[in-house]
Amino acid sequence: MSTYRAFEATGVRNVQLVERELVDPAPGQVRLRVEACGVCHTDVLAVEGLRADPSLPIVPGHEIVGVIDAVGAGVTAWHLGDRVGVGFLNGHCGECEPCRRGNFVNCFNQAQTGTSTDGGYAEVAYARASGLVRIPQGLSAIDAAPLLCAGLTTFVALQRGGNQGRLTRRSTGHRRPGASCAAVRTQPRVPRGRCGTRYREGALRTTVGRTRVHRQQHHRSR
Ligand SMILES: [Zn+2]
Ligand SMILES: [Zn+2]
C-alpha cells in the first residue's frame, strides 16, 4: 500500500502528522503532488474544531499549488504533469440550479478545501477538475499559493485602491473565507488642482471632503 504524509486536525487545537493511503482520484477529480500550500486565517475553523463534527480528522489548507499525478474518470481538460492551483472552493458540480445559472461560487454541491474535504497540508491533495486553475511555470509555488485566497484580496486592494494615495484596507472575509484582513500602503498620489499646482503635503492626510474644501480654498486664494 502506498502512502503519503499529511497533517490532520482532530478535535480542538490538535494537529498530528499521519500516513494516509494513496488512492486513485474519484471520477471528475484529479490528484496532486503538493508543491506548496499557503496558511490562511480560515484554517482556524479546522484547527479550533469549528466544524460539524470536530472528531472527524481533516487536513487543513486551501491555497494549494501542485502537479497532477493522476486523473479520475471523465476528466478531459487536465492531464498528468499539469501544474495547477486549488482554492477554498474545491470545484462546482455544474448541474445544480446556481451552476446552471453560471453562479458557480454558490454551487449546492461543492466541498470546501481544508474544511469539509481534505486540503493541502499534505504531500498529496485531491480536487474536482472544475476547481482547478492553471499555474504558470515561471511562478514559484511559494509565490503562487497565497494568491489562491488571501493574497488575491490583497491584489484586489492594490488594483482598486492604488490610486487613492492612502492606506487601503479591504475586508471581504464575509464573502471570501479567510480573506479577513489585507492592508496595503499605496504610492501617495500628489493631488493637483485644475491649474496643475501640487497641493501641500498635508493635504494628503485630509479626508476626501476636506480635500475638496482645501481645493476650493486653494483656488479662491489664487
Ligand atoms: Zn453546482
Ligand atoms: Zn483562505
Side-chain angles (χ1 to χ4, degrees):
M1 179 182 76
S2 297
T3 63
Y4 65 92
R5 292 180 298 172
F7 281 103
E8 283 183 350
T10 58
V12 178
R13 298 180 187 176
N14 183 49
V15 179
Q16 58 186 5
L17 182 62
V18 298
E19 293 279 337
R20 289 283 193 92
E21 182 182 358
L22 190 70
V23 297
D24 292 333
Q29 289 193 344
V30 303
R31 188 177 69 200
L32 314 179
R33 289 284 168 179
V34 177
E35 293 183 339
C37 183
V39 178
C40 181
H41 184 258
T42 300
D43 293 325
V44 77
L45 297 177
V47 177
E48 296 283 330
L50 303 174
R51 298 177 284 129
D53 185 358
S55 67
L56 292 177
I58 193 83
V59 179
H62 56 269
E63 299 174 1
I64 308 169
V65 173
V67 176
I68 295 175
D69 81 336
V71 296
V75 176
T76 57
W78 300 96
H79 306 93
L80 300 187
D82 284 348
R83 193 156 177 260
V84 297
V86 181
F88 185 72
L89 300 176
N90 201 258
H92 56 275
C93 75
E95 297 178 348
C96 70
E97 183 176 342
C99 279
R100 283 168 30 232
R101 295 178 185 277
N103 185 6
F104 305 128
V105 171
N106 291 309
C107 170
F108 292 150
N109 308 305
Q110 182 157 223
Q112 299 167 334
T113 313
T115 298
S116 65
T117 193
D118 287 331
Y121 293 178
E123 293 174 320
V124 167
Y126 298 82
R128 258 188 188 153
S130 59
L132 304 177
V133 294
R134 195 173 300 279
I135 303 294
Q137 290 297 338
L139 191 59
S140 79
I142 290 176
D143 287 341
L147 292 173
L148 293 157
C149 189
L152 179 61
T153 305
T154 310
F155 174 78
V156 172
L158 280 167
Q159 191 178 49
R160 296 185 182 174
N163 223 15
Q164 299 302 310
R166 63 189 180 205
L167 186 69
T168 301
R169 177 181 289 272
R170 294 195 60 81
S171 178
T172 56
H174 59 292
R175 284 182 293 140
R176 291 174 36 74
S180 57
C181 180
V184 295
R185 183 177 291 280
T186 61
Q187 283 293 320
R189 177 172 61 91
V190 178
R192 289 175 180 266
R194 282 165 295 188
C195 57
T197 303
R198 289 173 184 268
Y199 294 127
R200 58 186 168 80
E201 189 177 345
L204 289 173
R205 291 195 294 270
T206 63
T207 63
V208 172
R210 286 177 182 169
T211 301
R212 190 177 302 126
V213 169
H214 168 77
R215 282 177 179 162
Q216 291 166 352
Q217 291 173 344
H218 172 84
H219 283 278
R220 193 179 302 136
S221 65
R222 288 175 59 87

